[in-house]
């Protein structure tokens, strides 16, 4: 049986103030809980309108307080911008305040100006992710005290407070190097929307090889994958989704400032067309079939659904309700129980 969560960007659509975009995330999370979905994972971006939330953990804290049952995760907290101990303390605090409901997902991020603003570096982004991830997972492992001496971080022996629970950290992976690193640490993967299922299978295969070699049980990991999901019974609904998503990407992603020379600009309209064709967009039966087919092809049973593409809060709310009705009916049972 699959579990279905929302993936919320908090995108700033035309005519919407950033503060209103943040409040919409809270509203959508509450609607997800009412619709019987299993959780919400929230994104983190800096200085761009593609996503208004600059702290996935801060947003997660608010969503945990605003809901009662569903799991809340970060997709992702950008580890390259954060000290692993500081992020670990935040994660352990949320886990203590809402036992069993918080999920920490982290990623490398990109070579953006964030690195300079927050006093990090391209070097740490390119070479320091492994050390940072290792320190973070050790902090959350349940050890009473942690010390670390490395190339990027030096931590004198300090008490871990509040203590971690040993809960896994999900690792966003777009390449085999990161998938192999997560496998060596026994950490589950968080797979994005940008690649087809066959690419995800390749990442999962690389992950499995490393996990088995390191002595981890690959069947114990609950990977997650992200999908554009929109129940659209009329062609006009798909056209509006296409227009709204293209506008968000063109304006929001175009605001990234890179510290490295960039390739040519992406054709956002072509990318949106590809996503609509590949992902779960269309009549309810088609949406259910696409999600089930992806789960079957990859073996990934927890799916994060990107539902905000239409921009308009009423349309997004209708989409959340339709997905909840469809996916809880498809499961034929109550919402999945919280992960241990």
């Amino acid at each position: 049986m699959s579990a279905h969560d929302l993936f919320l960007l908090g995108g700033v659509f035309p005519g919407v103030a950033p503060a209103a975009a943040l409040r919409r995330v809270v509203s959508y999370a509450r609607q997800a809980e009412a619709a019987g979905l299993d959780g919400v994972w929230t994104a983190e971006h800096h200085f761009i309108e593609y996503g208004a939330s600059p702290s996935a953990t801060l947003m997660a804290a608010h969503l945990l307080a605003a809901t009662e049952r569903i799991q809340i995760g970060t997709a992702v907290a950008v580890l390259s911008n954060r000290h692993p101990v500081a992020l670990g303390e935040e994660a352990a605090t949320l886990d203590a305040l809402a036992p069993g409901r918080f999920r920490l997902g982290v990623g490398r991020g990109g070579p953006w100006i964030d690195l300079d603003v927050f006093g990090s570096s391209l070097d740490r982004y390119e070479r320091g992710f492994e050390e940072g991830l290792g320190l973070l997972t050790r902090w959350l492992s349940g050890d009473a005290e942690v010390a670390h001496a490395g190339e990027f971080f030096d931590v004198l022996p300090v008490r871990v407070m509040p203590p971690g629970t040993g809960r896994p950290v999900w690792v966003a992976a777009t390449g085999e190097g990161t998938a192999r690193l997560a496998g060596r640490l026994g950490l589950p993967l968080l797979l994005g929307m940008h690649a087809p299922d066959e690419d995800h299978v390749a990442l999962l295969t690389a992950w499995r090889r490393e996990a088995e070699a390191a002595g981890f049980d690959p069947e114990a990991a609950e990977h997650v994958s992200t999908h554009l999901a929109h129940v659209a019974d009329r062609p006009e609904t798909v056209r509006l989704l296409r227009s709204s998503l293209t506008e968000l990407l063109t304006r929001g992603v175009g605001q990234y400032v890179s510290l490295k020379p960039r390739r040519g600009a992406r054709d956002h309209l072509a990318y949106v067309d590809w996503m609509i064709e590949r992902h779960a967009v269309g009549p309810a039966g088609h949406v259910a079939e696409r999600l089930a087919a992806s789960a079957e092809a990859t073996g990934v049973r927890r799916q994060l659904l990107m539902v905000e593409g239409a921009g308009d809060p009423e349309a997004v709310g209708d989409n959340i309700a339709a997905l909840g009705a469809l996916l809880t009916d498809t499961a034929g049972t109550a919402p999945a129980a919280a992960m241990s």
Side-chain angles (χ1 to χ4, degrees), residues 85-157:
V85 170
L87 181 57
E89 288 185 322
E90 291 179 12
T93 300
L94 294 179
D95 204 26
L97 291 171
R101 293 182 58 207
F102 176 65
R103 302 290 177 262
L104 178 63
V106 301
R108 187 187 303 268
W112 314 129
I113 198 171
D114 317 4
L115 298 167
D116 183 69
V117 171
F118 297 123
S120 188
S121 66
L122 274 173
D123 201 27
R124 182 180 158 196
Y125 157 74
E126 292 173 338
R127 298 193 304 106
F129 183 70
E130 180 171 0
E131 183 181 337
L133 183 60
L135 177 53
L136 172 66
T137 55
R138 186 176 172 198
W139 188 268
L140 293 172
S141 68
D143 287 353
E145 183 178 274
V146 167
H148 176 86
E151 180 181 356
F152 294 93
F153 304 101
D154 284 295
V155 179
L156 295 173

Side-chain angles (χ1 to χ4, degrees), residues 44 46 78-83 108 114-115 118 120 124:
E44 173 177 304
H46 298 278
V78 181
L79 186 55
S80 300
N81 294 338
R82 307 284 295 277
H83 194 291
R108 187 187 303 268
D114 317 4
L115 298 167
F118 297 123
S120 188
R124 182 180 158 196

Side-chain angles (χ1 to χ4, degrees), residues 240-261:
L240 290 173
L241 173 67
R242 179 175 182 260
S243 174
S244 179
L245 262 182
T246 302
E247 170 68 18
L248 178 66
L249 287 167
T250 301
R251 210 164 34 85
V253 174
Q255 294 167 349
Y256 275 122
V257 177
S258 179
L259 299 180
K260 298 179 69 174

